[in-house]
Amino acid sequence: MSAMIAAPSPLREASASFVRDRIALAAMVLLCLLLTAALGASLLSPQNPYDLAQLDILDARLAPGSASSAGGTYWLGSDGQGRDLLSAILYGLRISLGVGILSTLVALALGLAIGLASARAGGWIDALVMRVVDLQLSFPSILVALILLAVAGQGVDRIIVALIVVQWAYYARTVRGAALVELKREYVDAAVCAGYGEARILFRHVLPNVLPPLIVVATVQVAHAIALEATLSFLGLGLPITEPSLGLLIANGYTYLLAGQYWISMFPGLALLLTIVAINLVGDRLRDVLNPRLQ
Amino acid sequence: MNKKAMISFASSAFALMLLLTGPASAADLRIGLSGEVTSLDPHLLASQPNLTVARHVFESLTDVDPQTKLIPGLAESWRALDALTWEFKLRRGVKFHDGSEFTAEDAVFSIARPLSIKGSPGGFASSVRAVESATAVDRHTLRVRTKYPYGALPEELNSILIVSRKHAQNAGPEDFDSGRAMVGTGPYRFVRYQRGDRLELARHDNWWGKTPPWTRVTLRVIPADPSRTAALLSGELDVIEHVPSADLKNIIKNNKLRVSQNTSWRTILLHLDQYRAQPPGVRGPDGKPLADHPFRALRVRRAMSMAINRNAIAERVMEGLAVPAANIVSPDVFGHNTALKPLPYDPEGAKRLLEEAGYPKGFRITLVGPNNRYINDQQILQTVAQLLTRVGIQTRVEAMPMSAFLGRVRKEETAVSLLGWGSFAADLALRSLVATPNPEKGYGAWNWGRYANPKVDTLMEQALASVDRGKREALAREANTLAMQDLAFIPLHHQVVSWAMRADLAYAPRTDEFTFAHHFLPGVR
């Protein structure tokens, strides 16, 4: 009896509401599968696509389903160096998802701290931070990332840094807006009267209330970051050419498209597309669930 | 979809529109070039893309036929008066595009001009290094004195294009790009230039040669391989050079198109650092430094050469657009030795040799090369890396645009580097690639590994000093053989170049890879 009266926990309510949408549920399942595949890439892949000694140039550009000279089968075909595309896609997914999630988390933390501080400080500090954010947001993110990589050089660590730089401003702006509203609420005044410290009020009281919109922004941003990483790799600014991620696989296969060897570009492209669509569907549903006004 | 593909779709759609609105006149020829043109100034930078466009407007004293045999150009004949003096009889009645007459004074001016350009990235200095003085004996006789006996002078002067003294005096590279100084004797005259996009040319009707069939020529610069192919397929272009190997099969099958191909003079090779005790990027399998000068051991160089499956590269990477190499110059070229055969692919033998040389577990290297210069260069780098890794030489690959790559080489940051070299003659190639580096004499400017072999040097010098061509070729062949048996560098293959064009056109494929509008013939169905 008492259990029925007690308010259900917000998390449980949200997840119950989430699964009511079948498409979002399917996207969630797909995303989990992709994540598992990426995490288990080294166990699932028939070949280590980054170990040059395992590649055989005589197996280059074989069609999907062809037998490999080592006795296996190239289910999705092989690329111009005789690399098994299935393995390359699994490893590439690991890079894409890893780079996307890691850069988003760091940018989220950074933007959160800056946005909260800016909202609380107000005055000229707030104005200055927001002008910097405006400046940052007025440049296309691909341009900023390209400039950063051109200056800093190539490498996966630099790509992550570049992605953080182009993302933090979104979070800072979102958090600041939400925090300004929350800071005017009575519970903040109450906390101030209770004599709590500045940091405690910001992080224990205000932060939980600004999180829902941030989660939505972050989910969409992961997809954005993955697309950006793929673009940069496509342009040849990513990892070494012997360790192709999805973008570079697509770029390599592009040479063979007119020759009818579609699989080198198409399958990595499909993997990228599925990942981004799944994340966006999940993000959309999260926005609906977490936004009380839309319910 | 990606950006590049969208651009090529857009350009195909645009081409379709052009086709519908008004087909190009029958006497027009539109050619797609593969290399970036950095300047129209013919004396600024000796790069093939720049010279391809410049040679439509300008000519040189000596010319070469499609097989790189020396033939008369603006000079009708030449001979060595003595070991140090050459006399060139110039063609009479040759007119510049402005109608003025070509004389020996223009030749004297043009030979001096390359070295007078300030801040030139160069490449021409080696061609005129031997020249002591050039003088006009009369309007149609040029005399060139060399600092030392030099048999290759006629070949060298092929690199020096003749500009009009009247128009090029005090002209800088910008005056050529604007068209003001673009006054030559060649078959085409300058009309319009859009940097990075196209050069438009019109026929020079007073040209001394056989009147070319095309009244207007457009040279388009399209470095992206798929876009170049798409432009040909859509009918936006009549001809493309450097047909991407992946598209070759389909283009050959297409009965609206024709392909013309030939073994080029360009040899693709690997330079190995032989001068530093610890070459950069070279380490033991455990990451520790190796014994001194690992690449000085012939066994190591042989092992690396045997580890490379040249036939697999030719077939799988190049789609047949390569001839496995054992020579410094390709088969048509002066000084080639047909008796030299590539080392057969033998990974087990390579492992044994490495073990004998003291590397039973191999070692690590970094292979560096361009990704936008030679046919499939980036794929070749990866395949070589994979083949070397198989015999225990763990190879990391760094591919970058040619300009960035040359910067790295100049800073001496590379130990194993990919280079392509084309030359008229084995002795000239040896002087650049194999001779012990000597900046004063201009030797070994591209000998990045600083291989040094006094016997090869002596033979090469004797060859270059011979004004008798028969004697010179024998010496050049001997020097070539010696250097290749000693693996001064590791030869990979000779590039095969191809042109694709409308089926009613014909082109004699050139060993020197040049694309000349005036050599395309119409109406040959």
Side-chain angles (χ1 to χ4, degrees), chain B residues 142-467:
Chain B
L142 175 77
R143 207 166 274 178
V144 179
R145 267 191 81 74
T146 58
K147 294 174 191 156
Y148 36 84
Y150 193 54
L153 186 75
E155 274 102 337
E156 297 287 19
L157 288 186
N158 174 257
S159 302
I160 305 300
L161 292 171
I162 305 300
V163 297
S164 153
R165 181 178 158 175
K166 190 169 104 193
H167 293 273
Q169 216 158 21
N170 306 321
E174 63 285 353
D175 298 305
F176 284 89
D177 288 348
S178 75
R180 191 183 72 74
M182 286 292 278
V183 178
T185 58
Y188 284 94
R189 59 186 169 76
F190 175 94
V191 174
R192 208 159 67 89
Y193 175 52
Q194 266 179 292
R195 203 190 175 93
D197 179 43
R198 68 182 70 198
L199 173 66
E200 287 171 26
L201 300 165
R203 188 166 64 196
H204 173 206
D205 288 320
N206 291 323
W207 189 44
W208 58 270
K210 188 174 170 290
T211 308
W214 317 107
T215 48
R216 286 195 309 170
V217 167
T218 308
L219 304 175
R220 294 274 311 273
V221 178
I222 310 180
D225 283 346
S227 310
R228 204 161 59 251
T229 304
L232 176 76
L233 293 175
S234 70
E236 187 187 345
L237 296 174
D238 304 309
V239 177
I240 59 170
E241 64 170 10
H242 290 292
V243 182
S245 59
D247 303 327
L248 196 64
K249 265 186 209 144
N250 282 344
I251 291 181
I252 290 175
K253 265 191 259 161
N254 187 332
N255 56 14
K256 289 187 182 125
L257 299 172
R258 171 202 297 268
V259 169
S260 151
Q261 52 183 220
N262 191 13
T263 307
S264 131
W265 63 356
R266 200 175 297 282
T267 308
I268 305 293
L269 55 100
L270 295 179
H271 269 313
L272 302 174
D273 186 320
Q274 300 182 34
Y275 67 101
R276 280 176 284 195
Q278 302 296 338
V282 180
R283 296 266 153 180
D286 45 6
K288 295 204 182 99
L290 292 180
D292 285 359
H293 300 100
F295 300 123
R296 262 195 202 163
L298 177 59
R299 276 192 293 216
V300 171
R301 302 202 294 273
R302 275 186 77 89
M304 291 176 76
S305 189
M306 282 156 70
I308 292 167
N309 188 345
R310 291 176 176 78
N311 291 326
I313 293 180
E315 281 160 28
R316 304 315 303 252
V317 181
M318 303 293 286
E319 310 257 338
L321 290 185
V323 177
N327 259 270
I328 194 167
V329 286
S330 64
D332 270 346
V333 179
F334 186 84
H336 178 90
N337 181 357
T338 40
L340 286 172
K341 297 281 178 246
L343 277 177
Y345 173 53
D346 180 4
E348 293 312 315
K351 281 185 203 161
R352 272 198 303 279
L353 272 180
L354 282 177
E355 197 168 340
E356 283 171 37
Y359 306 105
K361 288 189 177 147
F363 47 86
R364 291 188 202 166
I365 62 170
T366 303
L367 171 63
V368 195
N371 62 9
N372 63 351
R373 184 64 190 89
Y374 314 116
I375 302 175
N376 297 340
D377 41 15
Q378 180 166 301
Q379 283 91 315
I380 296 167
L381 287 170
Q382 293 180 64
T383 306
V384 167
Q386 133 179 179
L387 291 164
L388 291 177
T389 304
R390 289 196 153 203
V391 301
I393 303 172
Q394 298 164 40
T395 308
R396 218 165 65 84
V397 178
E398 286 184 30
M400 58 199 78
M402 190 67 180
S403 51
F405 170 58
L406 289 180
R408 294 277 301 270
V409 170
R410 258 178 235 119
K411 283 192 240 155
E412 300 185 21
E413 292 174 357
T414 65
V416 185
S417 333
L418 182 97
L419 177 65
W421 196 261
S423 182
F424 296 119
D427 48 0
L428 289 171
L430 284 164
R431 185 182 64 185
S432 295
L433 293 175
V434 172
T436 310
N438 179 340
E440 270 154 43
K441 288 181 168 174
Y443 288 178
W446 297 79
N447 180 359
W448 295 340
R450 301 201 198 164
Y451 170 82
N453 184 338
K455 277 191 206 151
V456 175
D457 289 357
T458 312
L459 283 168
M460 174 212 75
E461 279 191 311
Q462 287 172 348
L464 285 174
S466 312
V467 287

Side-chain angles (χ1 to χ4, degrees), chain A:
Chain A
M1 195 65 182
S2 61
M4 281 181 71
I5 295 166
S9 89
L11 185 68
R12 189 168 300 169
E13 196 181 18
S15 45
S17 144
F18 186 95
V19 298
R20 243 173 271 141
D21 183 342
R22 289 294 156 83
I23 295 175
L25 186 64
M28 192 70 187
V29 172
L30 178 63
L31 188 59
C32 290
L33 281 176
L34 288 169
L35 274 171
T36 320
L39 286 174
S42 43
L43 299 172
L44 293 169
S45 305
Q47 180 196 62
N48 177 357
Y50 300 162
D51 179 4
L52 291 177
Q54 290 188 28
L55 308 185
D56 190 343
I57 185 63
L58 294 174
D59 281 357
R61 284 177 282 124
L62 294 181
S66 307
S68 88
S69 57
T73 307
Y74 294 120
W75 292 112
L76 298 184
S78 64
D79 78 353
Q81 292 295 320
R83 191 178 277 116
D84 174 39
L85 266 179
L86 177 63
S87 312
I89 289 172
L90 292 178
Y91 274 73
L93 263 183
R94 189 166 71 179
I95 297 174
S96 293
L97 284 167
V99 166
I101 293 173
L102 186 65
S103 67
T104 302
L105 285 180
V106 178
L108 177 70
L110 202 68
L112 198 75
I114 293 175
L116 272 182
S118 172
R120 182 73 189 132
W124 67 270
I125 295 181
D126 186 35
L128 180 73
V129 171
M130 283 306 114
R131 291 301 80 74
V132 173
V133 167
D134 284 342
L135 193 70
Q136 169 92 61
L137 292 181
S138 65
F139 286 104
S141 42
I142 179 77
L143 185 72
V144 177
L146 275 176
I147 292 172
L148 283 174
L149 286 176
V151 173
Q154 298 184 15
V156 74
D157 46 343
R158 278 135 206 202
I159 284 209
I160 293 176
V161 171
L163 290 179
I164 293 170
V165 170
V166 301
Q167 286 189 86
W168 72 271
Y170 290 99
Y171 304 110
R173 159 117 320 157
T174 315
V175 169
R176 175 190 172 266
L180 278 182
V181 175
E182 295 298 324
L183 283 170
K184 295 204 177 70
R185 295 272 166 94
E186 284 99 352
Y187 71 88
V188 175
D189 292 338
V192 173
C193 291
Y196 291 141
E198 195 84 345
R200 183 178 163 134
I201 294 173
L202 277 182
F203 289 102
R204 291 281 298 274
H205 299 263
V206 176
L207 178 62
N209 287 298
V210 299
L211 265 186
L214 266 187
I215 292 173
V216 175
V217 174
T219 338
V220 178
Q221 281 296 320
V222 170
H224 184 65
I226 289 174
L228 201 56
E229 185 273 330
T231 313
L232 292 170
S233 305
F234 180 86
L235 296 172
L237 287 163
L239 288 153
I241 48 173
T242 48
E243 295 174 18
S245 67
L246 293 178
L248 192 55
L249 283 173
I250 298 172
N252 288 343
Y254 172 62
T255 324
Y256 306 108
L257 265 187
L258 286 175
Q261 287 155 346
Y262 63 89
W263 57 90
I264 308 174
S265 270
M266 201 180 87
F267 291 128
L270 217 54
L272 189 67
L273 184 77
L274 284 177
T275 313
I276 292 177
V277 168
I279 295 175
N280 277 335
L281 286 175
V282 169
D284 268 4
R285 186 66 191 149
L286 272 181
R287 188 192 61 200
D288 297 349
V289 170
L290 294 176
N291 188 343
R293 262 167 295 177
L294 285 177
Q295 278 185 338

